[in-house]
Amino acid sequence: MYCHYSAAVSSEPGIPALQTCIGCHQLIGGSTPSHQAEIKKVRDAWRERKPPEWVRVHALPGFVRFPHMRHIKALGAQSCATCHGEVQRMPQVTQVSTLRMGWCVRCHLAQTPPVTRDCSVCHY
Amino acid sequence: MTESVDRRRFLKVLGVTGAGAAALSACGIGPEPTERLIPYLVQPEDQIPGTATYYATTCRECAAGCGLRVRIREGRAVKLEGNPDSPINRGRLCARGQAGLQGLYNPDRIQHPLVRNANGTFDDIDWDGAIQRLAAKLREAQGKGIVFLTGAEQSSFGDLVDEWMKQVGGRRLSYEPFGFEALRAGNRMTFGTASLPSYDFGNAKYLVSFGADFLDTWLSPVEFQNGFSQAHAFDAGRPASMAKFVFVGPRMSLTGMNADEWVAARPGTEGTLALAMAQVILSQHLARVPADASRLVSVLGAYSPSAVAQAIGIDADTIVRLAREFARSGGGLAVAGGMATQYANGAEIVAAVNILNYVAGSVGSLIKFGADLAIGSTNTFADLTALTSDMTNGRVALLFVHGTNPAHTLPGAFQQALGKVGYKVSFSSFMDETAAACDMILPDHHALEQWGDSRPRAGVTALQQPVVQPVFDTRPSGDVILKLSGKTGTFQDYLQGKWRTRHPKDFDQYWFDSLEKGGIYGEAPTRTVRLAEGVAKIGFGALAAPAVPDQQVIVFPHPALHDGRGANKPWLQELPDPVSKIAWHSWVEVHPDTAAKWGLATGDFLLLKSSFGAQKFPAWITRSVRPDVLAVPTGQGHTAYGRYAKDRSANAFELLGGEATTYGGRSFIVGATATKTGEHRRIVTTEGSPRERGRGTVEVLGLARAKALHPGEAPFHHEETPEYASDAVAWWAERQHEQAEIGNYKGEQPRWGLAIDLSKCTGCAACVTACYAENNIATVGEELMQRGREMSWMRLERYWLTDEHGEPQGAVNSPMLCQQCGNAPCEPVCPVYAAYHTPDGLNGQVYNRCVGTRYCSNNCPYKVRYFNWYNYAERGGQYEAFPEPLSMLLNPDVTVREKGVMEKCTFCVQRIRGAQNQARLENRAVKDGDIVTACQQTCPSEAIIFGDLNDKRSQVYELAGNPRGYHVLAGLNTKPAITYLARVVAQDTPSHG
Amino acid sequence: MAEQTSPVRVTYDYVTRTIARTLGTPSRGYFLLLGAAVALLGVGVITLLFLLRYGLGLAGYSHPVYWAVFITCFVFWVGIAHSGTLISAILFLFRSGWRTAVYRTAEAMTVFAVMTAGLFPLIHIGRQWYFYWLIPYPNERGLWPNFKSPLIWDEFAIGTYFTVSTLFLIMGLIPDIAAVRDLATGWRKKLYALTSIGWTGSNEQWRHYTRGYLYLAALATPLVLSVHSVVSWDFAMALVPGWHATIFAPYFVAGAIYSGCGMVITLLTPIRRLFGLEEIITVKHFENLAKLCLLTGSIVGYAYVCEYFIAWYGGNPNERAAFWYRAFGPYWWATWTMIICNAFLPLLLWIKKVRTNITALFVISIFVNIGMWFERYVIIVVSLAGEPYEPWANAVYNPTWADWGIMAGSFGWFFMWFLLFVKNFPAVSISEVKEVLAPPRSKASKAHV
């Protein structure tokens, strides 16, 4: 929520600006060497004013709309893990859920009361 | 906007975060390629990814100075909308305004400074180099004649240029191809003031337009159209509502189409008619005539209806009737403009119309001097011809051109004259004809990229701020000029400086407010005018129709392309002309009788040869033009100006002379010989049947009948089921109802609906372009449009209204879009549920599910579904609709459809979902008015209302119950969600089709 | 075949030999034909590749004419497919002996025609690579096709028809393959040995065989009516003026059989000549086919009259306009081609001279095929183009090279299969022809039962 600050208010969670990363990693240097190595990259990038290139892990096709704020509103601020998994525990972020339509729909129907499965809610 | 990342990285960021606009992957199979995300270095504080921010600025597509609200997503301008705070356009926008975006992201923009080299071609040059070189040229040219030619610039930029020219001993000229010299001359003759008054259409009770196309090209179209629809729309709520509108002119324009009566006076005799009407009013004491009008008696004596009827070409009774109606309405407004002010006797015609207004007492009430329209202060055509001769005689050593393209609008003379100028510098950001002939091009920022302001009328100053990062390596001309004139600071500073003088104390607050509102909107004090001394001596003798030996050819401004400046924007090229419905090429309008005489068929080429030039135009045969007149639009026939404009059709300006009229204007009527070339082309038109043939697509009511309607009445209610079938249908309806209660469909759901008032709709087609912009609709180009492949989700159907002789008396314009049927034929036939019914009553269209059997379209009685025959989003494809950087204006909230997919209007479902999401965040229900479709938002005449039909308090619900309401093809029992309100015409026996 | 006076005496042995002869080494003429067919198919394949790469825009479509030549061909081929089952199944049940000589060709034609027709729905859709979404299969999204859509009915109708008619063909072939097996040598012998699945011709086998064949015939019969009815509903279920008519099902079925018989004649004439089957496929057979044409053609003619009458009598302005446009609009030529070929030409068949003159029949049959193609063209294209409910949205449609390319391909595809078939399998049923011959020992022959 601090990094992806717009997730709760907008459809797009947003990619945190490098400034945001540095905000913490100025101080947090990481415990293990590997961590330190990674964080160093960020710091160097900031020094060179050259944003790093992140590899996109969670991608939806262009014809799907996923308004993050609606889901956070409904499931609460801690609900990121429902789809993204325990990111904070991941040494390297990986995709834990299929993010396929059947998966979405199943979750919609599992809610009480079931959430709509109308196509035009996500596809337009 | 913000000190943000540099442009290239900026673009990359957009590429990713704007993923919403990504095309459906060609096959959808296999893993997506690994995407790279490039974050901002510093988060721009006014940007929330995935959420739009709006900035107020000013539209510079024409001189009207409408206010804009620009929708920005991730740093890209994705949509232009009118600024509700602006008193000019009141939140509305025309097609040309909408298309401003395609100027900003136009693929043919000049991307960096250019300078002509020895062998005549252009070399790239960096800005500093260019400015140094220019400074040198400037020093050389000092004293040898320096001229700065601008478009209509009543703005701080104009002031800056003036100051600079004073400094270097040059002079500035402003030039508009369709100027208003006649208006100014005429006003001077009658009232002794050369300024253009403001016209109050909204409160008029009777309207007569002498040639003025105030709905599309004249002065301030959006403002006037808004006012017009207030006055002319039928509104049962208002007593004696609906001002009758009479159009006088040889050709029926968009404005003419909306008239209740068309008086096709012989060209040049419009003034005579005005005088005759004035004469009747005076002699019959029909109005409380101002005292000093007595001086007119002598003048008007000669213009009794019987005396002039012959010359005008209508019968005397008509004149008397018009005069009576005009005076008795107690609020008659007559305007002269367009064609009527572009004859050799244009000024006199204006004077005549002024007199008519004066005797009817409209001057001062509906026509207010004081809040003058600034465009009146541009230089006259005579000044330009003077400049041209100076240039030819080598009296101009250095010429700057900014915001105008005289080489196109004055092809012969100016082109040659340019050759004689020592050094020519263009600030154009497009390679237009003038720029192409210049020695140096210093591309200006687009209006949406730079600071500026504009003073469209006294009391109003519209502010213009940069809303996006510059797309290319261009520079604000203001900055360049400041640098050249050795001043420090940027144009922004200069601008703020100017504004500071206006309001020194707590300027920052003032500035901030102005930015937010988009300008300062004051009321200028009105001043009363009296008849000038010389009024009795005006030589109206010249009013008899000028006898032209050959065919008379009228050259009129194209409603969308105007003088040609719109021709490089595919949206405008693909937008059918409101009258002819022709797109992508120009044409010549020929009356059927004339055509029969010459054995001419629609599409046959006519060679028009005037004493100044010759051009070929394909014929469009229509009754909307006088038999003794041919009419051709401007706008096409560019020899440069980018891929969309270049070498397309013919340039009508070629036919026109280069010398000024007596009143310093330009004559747009010319004698020409017309010869059939034998060539033929298939016209690119969207017109199907021009007659409605009583199919129930449009309904028209006479005024009396409409007034007699009382609530609850339903004159257009069609008996949908015959007696014998009613039981069966009732039973079936019950089952349907049960079905509609299952799953998603049970519970309280809105039913989205639209109401379209045909008595307001003028057919200006702003909605069409707005729809293109909002929904990423592809433009398909001339070739495909000719084959009926246009994608326009919203089309304007123009059905002629004819009198008993079959002569057109205006037309009904009906916007046809998906009706979102409650009982939709398209849904059951789709084999994959790509077309299906949403719980909130839309006919959903799931693009990514569609396999393209096209059955839905076959079964759609309204034919409002459009198929992607090619992949219009394909990079470098033959039919690519969004070549870089045009793709930057794609709306990220709407999927770009791939080939083989059916698409159609879904009431801007993305806006519906957006509003619902927002409401949910704020823990409230969606309110009426939260959701505004793109077409509704832009409609200058406020003819379209969107809302929830299940909400008894909604505006659309109320309109749906209006007795004028009807459903198109109701007999098919499709239960459309769109209610059309019948067009009302002043004659009581309307006939359509 | 009493009235047939033939120079040679047609014996069991003669039949076997003549028909087996059709399987002999192919002539140059045969290879020329086959080559031509394959070439046409090539044209179609290339066109299809273009369509896949660039999109359907290459074809002549224009708003609102969203179905055109492809669907026309689809219906045309489905129609062709009809007489096959009719002749083999229905006439079999009616015990009409004359069918025996022609039914094999008819059936083969049926199977290949359906194979051809089946391609079109795939070719004509916008995103061909997603055709499988039309098939109901359990998937991760939990989505199913819309069983309310006539297109899905079509899918099932065509699928069923293809399966059954193929079975029918194969089953009928078994004894004959066995017969030629015993004459053949080399790889052919292996092939026949395999495909005749151990047929020995024992009484036991014959008893089961005839029973099974009978039931299969009974099963196939309703298909003749159902398939084209369903196809017709693609149109009848839509509200397009000119489509939305209750007469469509019988009208289409009759038309289908009409075109089918036409095609059978078109195919049999050259085969008979090429393979010298004059003694086996006699004028009698042609005459009977001609009679069938006459019957169905008359029904079609009646349907035309009916359509126009109802359009007028129904009083619906759109219907009236649509049919006026059909007859006198820019497509009048197509309409009148169809009416003349389908309603008037068959009337010639009242004349016995014409009925029994093979050349005349051949020419007529060609016109029947053309006429029936145009019938579909008129129904589909002209109805969509001319008078939609929305007067503003009408169009003039012109096919392009892509349309013709695919159409040519379909003919190539059909004839390729057909030619391969007649060279490798008995084109006339040996066993059943024998059934209707007078047996050597003087006994009542089945033929006269």
Side-chain angles (χ1 to χ4, degrees):
Chain A
M1 281 304 156
Y2 173 77
C3 309
H4 298 282
Y5 71 103
S6 69
V9 295
S10 174
S11 58
E12 301 281 327
I15 319 156
L18 192 53
Q19 196 182 33
T20 321
C21 314
I22 282 300
C24 301
H25 288 296
Q26 208 62 282
L27 313 168
I28 304 164
S31 43
T32 71
S34 67
H35 286 184
Q36 283 155 358
E38 290 304 312
I39 291 164
K40 186 170 182 309
K41 288 184 192 166
V42 177
R43 289 176 172 172
D44 297 347
W46 178 250
R47 204 175 305 106
E48 297 152 21
R49 317 291 298 167
K50 182 180 166 306
E53 289 196 355
W54 303 116
V55 175
R56 184 165 197 163
V57 178
H58 295 90
L60 288 177
F63 49 74
V64 183
R65 306 273 170 275
F66 184 85
H68 280 78
M69 72 288 204
R70 282 296 291 262
H71 293 83
I72 291 168
K73 178 88 180 171
L75 305 171
Q78 302 317 312
S79 60
C80 309
T82 333
C83 311
H84 294 287
E86 298 287 319
V87 174
Q88 63 272 33
R89 300 236 172 73
M90 298 181 186
Q92 184 174 25
V93 178
T94 52
Q95 183 174 329
V96 295
S97 20
T98 67
L99 301 187
R100 291 175 62 87
M101 180 175 147
W103 172 81
C104 300
V105 173
R106 271 193 295 284
C107 186
H108 268 218
L109 297 183
Q111 307 301 317
T112 43
V115 180
T116 176
R117 62 191 295 183
D118 171 26
C119 318
S120 76
V121 165
C122 314
H123 298 304
Y124 50 82
Chain B
M1 182 170 51
T2 53
E3 41 78 49
S4 177
V5 295
D6 75 71
R7 205 194 113 257
R8 276 177 56 260
R9 184 170 304 125
F10 187 77
L11 282 183
K12 285 206 224 124
V13 179
L14 301 176
V16 179
T17 47
L24 296 169
S25 60
C27 278
I29 306 160
E32 305 259 330
T34 338
E35 285 179 50
R36 303 253 161 205
L37 304 179
I38 300 92
Y40 287 103
L41 208 48
V42 178
Q43 181 64 47
E45 68 288 336
D46 57 354
Q47 292 286 314
I48 303 171
T51 305
T53 33
Y54 289 81
Y55 295 95
T57 181
T58 301
C59 176
R60 300 306 299 273
E61 297 303 306
C62 77
C66 298
L68 286 181
R69 274 168 83 248
V70 186
R71 186 162 94 220
I72 303 291
R73 271 290 299 272
E74 290 90 18
R76 303 178 302 151
V78 294
K79 180 82 165 56
L80 303 184
E81 302 193 337
N83 178 356
D85 297 332
S86 163
I88 310 255
N89 58 321
R90 300 190 182 83
R92 308 302 170 152
L93 208 58
C94 67
R96 284 157 64 196
Q98 289 285 353
L101 268 187
Q102 290 202 318
L104 170 64
Y105 292 127
N106 194 295
D108 299 317
R109 274 184 71 178
I110 299 172
Q111 311 194 358
H112 42 66
L114 297 172
V115 64
R116 193 177 294 282
N117 59 23
N119 45 26
T121 59
F122 282 109
D123 291 339
D124 301 358
I125 185 172
D126 63 281
W127 275 102
D128 300 343
I131 288 171
Q132 280 163 18
R133 202 183 280 221
L134 185 51
K137 292 286 177 190
L138 196 57
R139 278 191 297 280
E140 293 171 25
Q142 295 266 2
K144 300 198 200 65
I146 301 176
V147 178
F148 199 116
L149 187 59
T150 67
E153 273 292 350
Q154 288 69 39
S155 63
S156 301
F157 177 73
D159 305 341
L160 174 65
V161 175
D162 288 332
E163 291 168 24
W164 184 45
M165 282 298 113
K166 203 174 276 98
Q167 179 190 339
V168 299
R171 69 182 200 278
R172 171 198 166 209
L173 236 71
S174 57
Y175 165 60
E176 276 286 317
F178 290 93
F180 300 92
E181 297 85 353
L183 273 173
R184 288 149 65 193
N187 292 350
R188 202 185 297 104
M189 290 186 203
T190 34
F191 303 129
T193 167
S195 55
L196 305 189
S198 59
Y199 302 86
D200 183 356
F201 284 89
N203 292 312
K205 298 212 169 51
Y206 193 94
L207 283 161
V208 186
S209 169
F210 293 87
D213 296 329
F214 57 85
L215 293 182
D216 48 3
T217 53
W218 192 64
L219 290 174
S220 185
V222 177
E223 177 185 5
F224 293 164
Q225 190 175 342
N226 193 281
F228 172 75
S229 73
Q230 281 173 36
H232 184 256
F234 177 84
D235 176 12
R238 188 173 45 164
S241 63
M242 183 166 170
K244 182 177 177 182
F245 171 38
V246 179
F247 184 79
V248 183
R251 167 187 179 269
M252 198 188 284
S253 60
L254 166 60
T255 312
M257 280 201 312
N258 287 281
D260 302 290
E261 186 174 349
W262 177 36
V263 180
R266 190 168 285 120
T269 64
E270 289 89 342
T272 322
L273 177 58
L275 290 176
M277 287 170 69
Q279 194 270 350
V280 174
I281 295 174
L282 270 185
S283 57
Q284 304 190 4
H285 311 292
L286 296 171
R288 284 199 286 96
V289 179
D292 57 344
S294 52
R295 275 191 278 128
L296 295 167
V297 179
S298 55
V299 188
L300 295 176
Y303 294 95
S304 64
S306 49
V308 293
Q310 186 59 32
I312 303 170
I314 57 174
D315 51 4
D317 323 354
T318 317
I319 303 177
V320 176
R321 178 172 54 83
L322 290 175
R324 286 229 174 85
E325 290 175 357
F326 186 76
R328 296 236 173 101
S329 67
L333 171 61
V335 290
M339 223 25 250
T341 59
Q342 288 159 345
Y343 306 125
N345 61 344
E348 289 77 6
I349 291 175
V350 173
V353 172
N354 284 345
I355 289 173
L356 173 59
N357 279 318
Y358 195 78
V359 296
S362 311
V363 178
S365 57
L366 296 171
I367 300 173
K368 291 199 185 71
F369 284 87
D372 302 339
L373 300 175
I375 188 157
S377 58
T378 48
N379 291 81
T380 64
F381 186 67
D383 300 334
L384 188 76
T385 46
L387 170 66
T388 318
S389 61
D390 282 357
M391 289 158 64
T392 333
N393 308 334
R395 286 201 292 274
V396 178
L398 181 55
L399 177 71
F400 298 93
V401 186
H402 179 281
T404 180
N405 183 13
H408 174 71
T409 54
L410 194 54
F414 198 86
Q415 280 282 15
Q416 290 144 16
L418 270 176
K420 304 282 187 357
V421 176
Y423 201 73
K424 311 169 283 295
V425 181
S426 167
F427 291 96
S428 169
S429 48
F430 297 101
M431 187 57 81
D432 58 31
E433 286 80 354
T434 316
C438 286
D439 304 298
M440 180 185 280
I441 306 176
L442 303 173
D444 189 8
H445 273 358
H446 186 272
L448 293 168
E449 295 170 328
Q450 66 174 314
W451 289 98
D453 62 4
S454 141
R455 299 186 287 271
R457 86 156 84 115
V460 176
T461 311
L463 194 52
Q464 169 191 333
Q465 63 171 320
V467 295
V468 289
Q469 295 284 314
V471 183
F472 296 114
D473 178 21
T474 54
R475 270 196 202 179
S477 304
D479 291 8
V480 177
I481 291 172
L482 284 167
K483 210 166 172 65
L484 284 166
S485 56
K487 293 204 182 64
T488 56
T490 65
F491 182 68
Q492 178 181 3
D493 309 327
Y494 177 86
L495 184 72
Q496 279 180 328
K498 281 219 153 267
W499 279 61
R500 197 179 293 277
T501 55
R502 187 185 286 119
H503 196 291
K505 69 182 232 300
D506 58 33
F507 170 73
D508 295 345
Q509 187 53 38
Y510 170 75
W511 179 252
F512 181 78
D513 295 345
S514 313
L515 274 182
E516 200 180 16
K517 293 217 308 301
I520 44 173
Y521 310 118
E523 281 302 324
T526 50
R527 58 177 205 283
T528 49
V529 292
R530 291 261 153 263
L531 283 180
E533 288 313 314
V535 73
K537 292 193 266 334
I538 303 174
F540 287 118
L543 281 172
V548 183
D550 321 316
Q551 196 67 31
Q552 292 183 69
V553 176
I554 287 175
V555 175
F556 64 93
H558 190 291
L561 312 176
H562 199 243
D563 56 13
R565 69 184 72 173
N568 64 343
K569 304 182 182 68
W571 284 343
L572 296 182
Q573 283 280 14
E574 191 135 323
L575 181 67
D577 166 70
V579 181
S580 66
K581 295 295 166 187
I582 292 171
W584 285 105
H585 65 79
S586 52
W587 65 94
V588 53
E589 299 183 357
V590 187
H591 189 278
D593 301 354
T594 324
K597 206 165 66 214
W598 297 342
L600 209 61
T602 289
D604 292 352
F605 274 89
L606 265 188
L607 176 68
L608 303 181
K609 196 185 263 100
S610 77
S611 46
F612 310 102
Q615 289 285 300
K616 284 186 313 200
F617 299 90
W620 177 60
I621 294 166
T622 172
R623 293 191 169 277
S624 62
V625 65
R626 275 180 62 94
D628 58 355
V629 165
L630 301 175
V632 290
T634 59
Q636 299 284 17
H638 284 273
T639 58
Y641 206 32
R643 69 193 73 178
Y644 297 109
K646 194 169 185 297
D647 304 329
R648 197 173 284 290
S649 200
N651 179 3
F653 284 107
E654 296 273 4
L655 302 172
L656 298 175
E659 64 285 335
T661 56
T662 48
Y663 54 89
R666 187 178 191 181
S667 171
F668 282 81
I669 187 166
V670 62
T673 60
T675 47
K676 211 172 141 186
T677 64
E679 296 158 279
H680 179 90
R681 73 159 291 160
R682 199 164 145 205
I683 294 258
V684 181
T685 174
T686 62
E687 182 177 40
S689 160
R691 300 300 181 85
E692 187 263 3
R693 289 178 297 172
R695 297 288 179 79
T697 6
V698 292
E699 300 287 1
V700 181
L701 282 172
L703 182 53
R705 177 83 182 81
K707 278 183 177 160
L709 289 175
H710 50 73
E713 214 176 326
F716 303 116
H717 173 72
H718 299 272
E719 186 44 66
E720 288 170 14
T721 30
E723 201 43 55
Y724 60 84
S726 52
D727 290 358
V729 173
W731 175 87
W732 176 80
E734 239 168 75
R735 301 289 91 70
Q736 288 271 304
H737 188 69
E738 286 166 14
Q739 291 296 314
E741 294 300 311
I742 296 170
N744 280 343
Y745 295 85
K746 67 172 176 295
E748 259 323 297
Q749 290 280 6
R751 167 98 202 267
W752 303 117
L754 215 59
I756 302 178
D757 189 341
L758 297 187
S759 74
K760 286 182 177 172
C761 177
T762 63
C764 72
C767 51
V768 175
T769 311
C771 184
Y772 270 82
E774 172 70 20
N775 292 302
N776 301 337
I777 300 176
T779 50
V780 298
E782 181 171 8
E783 178 210 340
L784 291 188
M785 200 164 170
Q786 192 169 14
R787 295 170 61 184
R789 304 272 179 91
E790 72 274 3
M791 304 294 285
S792 178
W793 289 0
M794 185 147 195
R795 62 170 187 259
L796 277 153
E797 304 186 342
R798 185 257 301 119
Y799 296 113
W800 295 114
L801 289 169
T802 52
D803 62 11
E804 57 280 6
H805 316 301
E807 289 301 321
Q809 293 293 327
V812 192
N813 288 286
S814 161
M816 180 49 66
L817 59 158
C818 177
Q819 305 284 309
Q820 316 293 343
C821 305
N823 176 16
C826 56
E827 287 162 3
V829 298
C830 176
V832 291
Y833 286 117
Y836 80 106
H837 210 67
T838 71
D840 46 1
L842 300 174
N843 304 130
Q845 179 68 18
V846 188
Y847 303 128
N848 48 308
R849 176 68 174 170
C850 178
V851 295
T853 66
R854 307 187 294 291
Y855 201 169
C856 52
S857 172
N858 290 347
N859 213 26
C860 171
Y862 307 96
K863 296 292 174 225
V864 288
R865 296 174 148 269
Y866 301 90
F867 191 70
N868 286 269
W869 297 111
Y870 296 102
N871 187 353
Y872 300 114
E874 182 183 2
R875 283 271 158 273
Q878 187 188 356
Y879 299 110
E880 182 180 15
F882 320 104
E884 287 289 353
L886 212 49
S887 52
M888 285 174 73
L889 54 70
L890 288 172
N891 181 354
D893 296 333
V894 178
T895 309
V896 174
R897 284 75 59 184
E898 89 159 317
K899 72 163 182 270
V901 175
M902 189 66 73
E903 63 182 63
K904 69 168 190 69
C905 160
T906 48
F907 280 169
C908 290
V909 63
Q910 67 279 8
R911 290 183 174 218
I912 298 177
R913 300 296 173 239
Q916 286 170 330
N917 292 342
Q918 198 50 41
R920 181 73 182 77
L921 277 188
E922 296 163 11
N923 301 313
R924 60 174 177 84
V926 175
K927 302 189 302 294
D928 190 34
D930 276 1
I931 307 166
V932 178
T933 62
C935 48
Q936 170 187 11
Q937 194 287 326
T938 207
C939 179
S941 49
E942 304 180 26
I944 303 176
I945 300 295
F946 176 84
D948 175 8
L949 290 165
N950 288 351
D951 171 5
K952 302 272 178 289
R953 297 176 312 288
S954 73
Q955 206 180 345
V956 70
Y957 176 82
E958 186 197 340
L959 287 166
N962 186 305
R964 281 192 296 133
Y966 70 94
H967 292 160
V968 174
L969 302 176
L972 293 174
N973 195 29
T974 50
K975 306 247 186 294
I978 300 184
T979 310
Y980 289 82
L981 273 58
R983 166 80 185 270
V984 180
V985 290
Q987 314 96 304
D988 281 332
T989 56
S991 73
H992 53 93
Chain C
M1 317 226 277
E3 64 270 50
Q4 284 304 323
T5 54
S6 42
V8 289
R9 189 166 169 288
V10 181
T11 61
Y12 285 3
D13 162 65
Y14 173 83
V15 170
T16 319
R17 269 187 291 99
T18 23
I19 297 177
R21 185 150 26 89
T22 65
L23 307 179
T25 33
S27 63
R28 255 180 82 257
Y30 175 85
F31 277 115
L32 281 175
L33 285 175
L34 190 60
V38 173
L40 278 180
L41 178 58
V43 173
V45 170
I46 291 164
T47 319
L48 180 57
L49 291 177
F50 269 93
L51 289 178
L52 286 167
R53 167 64 183 83
Y54 295 103
L56 286 176
L58 298 172
Y61 298 107
S62 83
H63 185 83
V65 184
Y66 276 2
W67 283 358
V69 169
F70 296 167
I71 296 293
T72 305
C73 292
F74 165 71
V75 182
F76 173 75
W77 284 114
V78 177
I80 295 297
H82 266 64
S83 60
T85 326
L86 176 93
I87 292 168
S88 44
I90 297 186
L91 296 190
F92 176 79
L93 294 180
F94 290 145
R95 295 281 185 280
S96 60
W98 65 272
R99 70 177 267 285
T100 55
V102 294
Y103 87 93
R104 175 68 43 76
T105 335
E107 263 175 22
M109 182 190 77
T110 297
V111 173
F112 301 136
V114 179
M115 278 165 62
T116 318
L119 296 177
F120 279 97
L122 306 189
I123 295 170
H124 105 286
I125 62 174
R127 298 202 289 170
Q128 295 90 343
W129 49 93
Y130 283 138
F131 74 92
Y132 60 89
W133 283 358
L134 296 164
I135 303 160
Y137 67 99
N139 57 50
E140 180 270 348
R141 305 182 198 84
L143 293 176
W144 293 93
N146 175 5
F147 292 103
K148 275 189 255 144
S149 168
L151 291 182
I152 298 293
W153 310 345
D154 243 21
E155 191 180 300
F156 285 103
I158 305 288
T160 321
Y161 192 50
F162 177 66
T163 328
V164 172
S165 51
T166 317
L167 272 178
F168 214 64
L169 174 66
I170 294 171
M171 193 157 169
L173 269 169
I174 293 174
D176 294 5
I177 297 177
V180 292
R181 173 193 57 198
D182 307 337
L183 303 171
T185 55
W187 63 273
R188 282 243 174 123
K189 190 159 188 79
K190 286 199 187 60
L191 171 72
Y192 296 144
L194 206 68
T195 40
S196 59
I197 48 174
W199 177 269
T200 56
S202 66
N203 281 347
E204 190 68 2
Q205 282 181 334
W206 269 114
R207 200 172 69 251
H208 291 308
Y209 176 80
T210 39
R211 274 269 161 283
Y213 197 78
L214 182 67
Y215 289 137
L216 201 51
L219 197 68
T221 306
L223 287 179
V224 181
L225 303 179
S226 72
V227 177
H228 223 57
S229 304
V230 173
V231 170
S232 79
W233 292 336
D234 285 351
F235 307 101
M237 289 287 163
L239 46 63
V240 178
W243 286 11
H244 192 60
T246 44
I247 195 177
F248 258 44
Y251 167 21
F252 267 50
V253 172
I257 295 168
Y258 178 58
S259 65
C261 294
M263 190 52 109
V264 175
I265 297 175
T266 319
L267 293 175
L268 272 182
T269 319
I271 290 176
R272 177 167 180 270
R273 183 69 44 79
L274 280 172
F275 299 146
L277 300 174
E278 286 82 357
E279 301 314 320
I280 291 162
I281 309 174
T282 61
V283 176
K284 173 79 158 55
H285 297 104
F286 281 95
E287 188 181 358
N288 286 337
L289 282 170
K291 285 178 181 163
L292 208 47
C293 274
L294 180 53
L295 172 68
T296 48
S298 316
I299 299 176
V300 170
Y302 168 76
Y304 291 165
V305 177
C306 230
E307 271 191 314
Y308 280 86
F309 172 74
I310 293 299
W312 166 78
Y313 184 70
N316 178 329
N318 300 91
E319 285 287 330
R320 285 186 176 181
F323 278 90
W324 182 267
Y325 181 86
R326 240 186 224 190
F328 306 112
Y331 293 101
W332 61 269
W333 50 273
T335 311
W336 290 105
T337 317
M338 133 189 160
I339 292 177
I340 289 162
C341 292
N342 302 346
F344 291 116
L345 221 55
L347 298 184
L348 290 174
L349 298 174
W350 284 111
I351 309 159
K352 190 167 175 75
K353 266 199 171 31
V354 180
R355 268 206 319 268
T356 51
N357 177 333
I358 307 249
T359 337
L361 282 180
F362 183 70
V363 174
I364 291 179
S365 75
I366 300 282
F367 277 105
V368 169
N369 292 326
I370 295 172
M372 285 311 290
W373 190 88
F374 270 105
E375 176 185 305
R376 279 62 177 251
Y377 185 83
V378 167
I379 290 174
I380 292 164
V381 172
V382 181
S383 304
L384 287 173
E387 288 285 346
Y389 285 102
E390 186 66 23
W392 190 261
N394 57 13
V396 172
Y397 161 88
N398 301 311
T400 65
W401 62 271
D403 294 295
W404 302 132
I406 292 293
M407 184 169 160
S410 72
F411 276 89
W413 168 261
F414 173 80
F415 281 108
M416 180 188 74
W417 286 111
F418 191 80
L419 287 164
L420 288 175
F421 176 82
V422 293
K423 213 41 182 157
N424 293 303
F425 293 98
V428 177
S429 168
I430 300 171
S431 54
E432 295 204 33
V433 168
K434 287 178 181 171
E435 283 180 21
V436 296
L437 285 182
R441 278 169 284 100
S442 61
K443 250 194 183 178
S445 104
K446 280 199 195 121
H448 304 295
V449 179

